[in-house]
Amino acid sequence: MKKQRIPEVSWNAKDGEIYERLSDNEVFADLFNGVVFQGEEIIKPEYLEEMNEKKQLKIPGRDGQPVVIKKLRDVQKACGLDGSLLGIMLAAEGQRTVHYGMPVRHMLYDAVDYTKQMLDLEKKHRRGRDLSSGAEFLSGMRREDRLRPIITLALFYGEDQLWDGPMCLHDMLELPKALEPWKTYIPNYPLNLVYSGNVCPENFRTGLREVFELLRVAKDKDSMEEFLRENQERYRNLDWKKGELIGDFLDVPLIKDNADAIRTEEGGMNMCTAFQQMRREGEVEGKRMGEEKLSSLMQFLFHDNRIEDLQKASLDAGYREVLYKEYGLDHEELPD
């Protein structure tokens, strides 16, 4: 008889919980320091200021009528650098699944923010009546005015850490071969994608280190067990706050609903126990789904008076697979 396939551990983090975690100044700063500044503490949590107001801009359309653009980033903060308040704008967009239009989406987000800065400057100058005639008056900006730079990161935390989407605007274009030699004239826009495959976990000081480590092996239960076994000294008594971050990003029910069950004497969390229980629960669920699938097939065969096929299916696992496909039950896959 064919051995029952045991389901892999499946992760399904709730987006709202992720955004809440990223809104924490310590985690937000750690994300940018670990990714952009390679672990150097350039962004200070105490200098971060929330900027998640809804953006609504009116711009002239091609027909002369105003077009309203509304955008709300997932998490956006301003940060002072070198003692200068609000020196840079930082934004993080959480992505659980691949988005094939992400470069354009980020380009629009950034364009809206830059446009808002220009409009704010124009309002300030119009009120102060400090624009000279000519270019300054037409632009609504003074020659020495400068905009705050914006860094936008796309944090990909899906269970399958394989991004097959575009990495820049050019990846999305259907470029005629005749234009290839001159494509540099077509503006490009890169995507700052962040996922477990392109970061160094050691660059992070918060639980993001453990999140990225575990996301690398989350799809394969055997790799997960091997990783936890090799790092059991650290994961058997992990800092409580780091454990909570893992619970949300990897959607671990035991951590989110009953973390006290894995509390250690030192006050941390035993992550090894948490994932062992999660795997056991997955195996039980897989067995239940397999039994329901077989029961459905038996009912269909009995209803169609296919007694011989019913008897053969009860003994031959390969033949059962053929019948599953025939009755459309092959799509009821056990979770990966």
Side-chain angles (χ1 to χ4, degrees):
M1 181 177 292
K2 187 177 180 180
K3 187 176 180 180
Q4 174 72 36
R5 183 169 67 90
I6 297 175
E8 306 290 345
V9 177
S10 180
W11 317 104
N12 182 26
K14 306 295 188 299
D15 294 340
E17 295 169 345
I18 299 303
Y19 303 153
E20 183 178 347
R21 291 295 178 186
L22 289 177
S23 295
D24 180 277
N25 281 358
E26 186 180 1
V27 175
F28 189 87
D30 193 39
L31 174 64
F32 280 85
N33 287 331
V35 173
V36 180
F37 304 108
Q38 299 301 299
E40 188 174 350
E41 196 175 5
I42 301 297
I43 306 299
K44 308 290 186 182
E46 60 269 26
Y47 292 143
L48 290 173
E49 179 179 322
E50 202 71 34
M51 291 189 66
N52 250 30
E53 76 274 12
K54 191 170 186 177
K55 307 294 193 313
Q56 178 171 311
L57 296 178
K58 286 186 178 181
I59 60 175
R62 290 186 176 181
D63 57 358
Q65 298 298 315
V67 175
V68 177
I69 298 179
K70 298 180 180 179
K71 284 293 170 188
L72 179 64
R73 290 188 185 266
D74 291 345
V75 185
Q76 182 175 10
K77 297 177 185 287
C79 179
L81 297 176
D82 299 326
S84 173
L85 292 178
L86 306 182
I88 188 172
M89 294 171 62
L90 308 171
E93 303 294 326
Q95 200 62 37
R96 184 159 53 87
T97 57
V98 176
H99 192 300
Y100 296 113
M102 190 60 81
V104 170
R105 179 173 161 182
H106 277 203
M107 181 173 65
L108 179 58
Y109 281 145
D110 291 349
V112 167
D113 282 331
Y114 281 125
T115 302
K116 186 177 185 303
Q117 290 187 58
M118 291 177 59
L119 293 178
D120 288 344
L121 282 171
E122 182 178 4
K123 288 179 182 178
K124 174 185 173 183
H125 291 312
R126 300 296 184 200
R127 286 195 302 265
R129 298 178 181 274
D130 58 357
L131 294 174
S132 62
S133 59
E136 286 192 354
F137 188 84
L138 179 64
S139 305
M141 297 174 62
R142 297 175 64 93
R143 185 172 181 271
E144 61 270 21
D145 283 338
R146 293 294 182 268
L147 305 180
R148 284 172 287 169
I150 301 169
I151 301 177
T152 300
L153 301 181
L155 176 58
F156 179 47
Y157 57 90
E159 62 181 80
D160 190 346
Q161 286 283 285
L162 294 176
W163 180 273
D164 64 352
M167 291 297 296
C168 64
L169 178 61
H170 279 191
D171 289 344
M172 299 177 62
L173 301 181
E174 187 175 357
L175 196 66
K177 286 187 177 181
L179 285 180
E180 281 286 348
W182 297 280
K183 70 177 182 180
T184 54
Y185 288 93
I186 302 173
N188 197 7
Y189 208 86
L191 174 66
N192 295 321
L193 181 69
V194 180
Y195 73 110
S196 65
N198 68 353
V199 299
C200 177
E202 289 76 16
N203 286 345
F204 302 92
R205 304 183 183 192
T206 68
L208 287 175
R209 170 182 176 174
E210 286 74 22
V211 166
F212 285 124
E213 285 180 343
L214 294 172
L215 279 174
R216 287 181 175 179
V217 295
K219 191 67 175 175
D220 186 330
K221 63 180 183 299
D222 293 328
S223 296
M224 171 72 82
E225 283 195 355
E226 181 180 357
F227 174 80
L228 290 175
R229 186 166 55 251
E230 293 174 351
N231 297 273
Q232 58 182 311
E233 184 176 348
R234 177 158 53 99
Y235 277 89
R236 277 185 173 173
N237 183 38
L238 192 66
D239 174 79
W240 191 268
K241 193 171 182 179
K242 290 183 177 183
E244 289 181 326
L245 201 66
I246 292 173
D248 284 338
F249 269 95
L250 276 69
D251 196 26
V252 183
L254 182 59
I255 297 177
K256 296 166 67 174
D257 302 331
N258 189 23
D260 284 334
I262 55 172
R263 183 188 293 271
T264 64
E265 293 181 358
E266 296 86 353
M269 288 190 193
N270 189 328
M271 304 305 298
C272 298
T273 299
F275 286 106
Q276 286 170 0
Q277 179 168 327
M278 193 172 182
R279 176 171 179 174
R280 286 195 295 269
E281 291 175 352
E283 291 172 350
V284 171
E285 177 65 10
K287 182 178 180 181
R288 183 191 64 79
M289 290 178 64
E291 291 174 349
E292 289 183 356
K293 188 175 178 179
L294 178 59
S295 177
S296 296
L297 177 62
M298 297 296 104
Q299 291 179 42
F300 282 131
L301 293 174
F302 186 79
H303 180 270
D304 293 343
N305 200 29
R306 298 174 61 175
I307 306 303
E308 290 185 6
D309 287 331
L310 193 155
Q311 293 174 337
K312 184 176 180 181
S314 66
L315 302 173
D316 190 333
Y319 190 58
R320 278 202 302 274
E321 294 298 326
V322 173
L323 293 175
Y324 284 147
K325 187 173 183 179
E326 179 181 339
Y327 280 96
L329 297 173
D330 56 321
H331 297 300
E332 297 182 12
E333 293 291 336
L334 299 175
D336 290 326

